[in-house]
Amino acid sequence: MRVLVVEDHATLAARIGEGLRDAGMAVDVVHDGGAALTRAAETGYDVVVLDRDLPVVHGDQVCRALAAVDGARILMLTAASGVDDRVDGLELGADDYLGKPFAFHELVARVRALARRAPSAPPVVRRGDLTVDRARHRASRAGRPLSLTRKEFGVLEVLVAADGAVVSAEELLEHVWDAHVDPFSNIVSVTLTRLRRKLGAPPLIETVVGKGYRM
């Protein structure tokens, strides 16, 4: 899951980013509305955690612009959490609304719930004897639990959701890793090697030479 956090309070933004990464998500963090629009135009995010009171471009404008594009789900954050404020945020196109201060486990749960709203990505996906539970971040094969790292699970999740379509290494980088990853590294192939080993035989992941991978 790829998440963009837009929060002008640097310390809070860093804490949110760190907490979501600890929950197994790939997270980018920016501190103003202009940077948010730039990042969203460059990267396909599953969820945008958006502070409402932002510099450069106000959060309301960012929300309206992102909601006009069929893409990321928007979770709006604000210190103003009255009913009218929540209604305003939802009418701007936000998918969910969370007032500050908030319990972090609730933020994580809401982000995961928003990501699951995509019709192509149900909470539990089965491919043959492989089961991937996106909600609980678990996978098993033939009833045997798989011990996967966050990145291995992220790669598996993207491949399963593609439903047989080829997924390029660039797409895996975009959805599983954040903006700090070196795009010229071999991290995707290394992660896939470990994932294949853990999945066992018969092989589930096919390499399509020059194009990517599919399951």
Side-chain angles (χ1 to χ4, degrees):
M1 187 192 308
R2 187 76 178 265
V3 180
L4 177 63
V5 174
V6 192
E7 167 62 61
D8 65 326
H9 191 289
T11 301
L12 177 58
R15 288 175 179 169
I16 293 174
E18 181 180 358
L20 293 177
R21 291 186 190 103
D22 287 344
M25 305 175 199
V27 184
D28 296 327
V29 177
V30 295
H31 302 110
D32 66 73
L37 292 174
T38 299
R39 281 292 182 88
E42 297 171 346
T43 304
Y45 290 100
D46 299 295
V47 178
V48 176
V49 178
L50 178 67
D51 183 35
R52 191 168 187 180
D53 189 15
L54 291 172
V56 184
V57 179
H58 193 274
D60 287 359
Q61 293 175 258
V62 175
C63 184
R64 191 179 293 111
L66 296 181
V69 181
D70 184 17
R73 304 291 183 176
I74 301 167
L75 172 59
M76 187 171 276
L77 301 177
T78 182
S81 56
V83 173
D84 290 341
D85 298 295
R86 293 197 299 272
V87 170
D88 288 345
L90 295 171
E91 288 185 344
L92 286 167
D95 298 281
D96 200 358
Y97 197 100
L98 187 59
K100 299 177 182 177
F102 51 82
F104 198 82
H105 66 276
E106 181 180 3
L107 173 66
V108 172
R110 286 175 181 260
V111 169
R112 285 179 171 160
L114 287 177
R116 292 197 299 269
R117 286 190 187 180
S120 60
V124 178
V125 182
R126 293 179 176 84
R127 296 286 181 270
D129 63 354
L130 176 69
T131 300
V132 179
D133 187 334
R134 301 176 67 247
R136 294 177 175 82
H137 230 247
R138 299 173 184 167
S140 63
R141 187 171 188 191
R144 175 178 60 87
L146 302 174
S147 178
L148 304 179
T149 67
R150 295 171 190 161
K151 298 308 182 187
E152 290 163 0
F153 186 88
V155 168
L156 180 63
E157 188 176 16
V158 173
L159 291 173
V160 168
D163 197 20
V166 175
V167 180
S168 69
E170 291 76 14
E171 288 176 284
L172 289 171
L173 274 175
E174 179 176 324
H175 287 285
V176 181
W177 283 268
D178 59 30
H180 300 292
V181 67
D182 179 0
F184 300 104
S185 73
N186 65 343
I187 193 168
V188 171
S189 61
V190 170
T191 303
L192 274 160
T193 298
R194 293 199 308 259
L195 176 59
R196 281 171 162 148
R197 187 181 305 122
K198 291 181 179 181
L199 288 173
L204 293 177
I205 301 173
E206 174 190 359
T207 298
V208 182
V209 179
K211 294 184 178 181
Y213 310 90
R214 70 180 166 204
M215 180 174 283

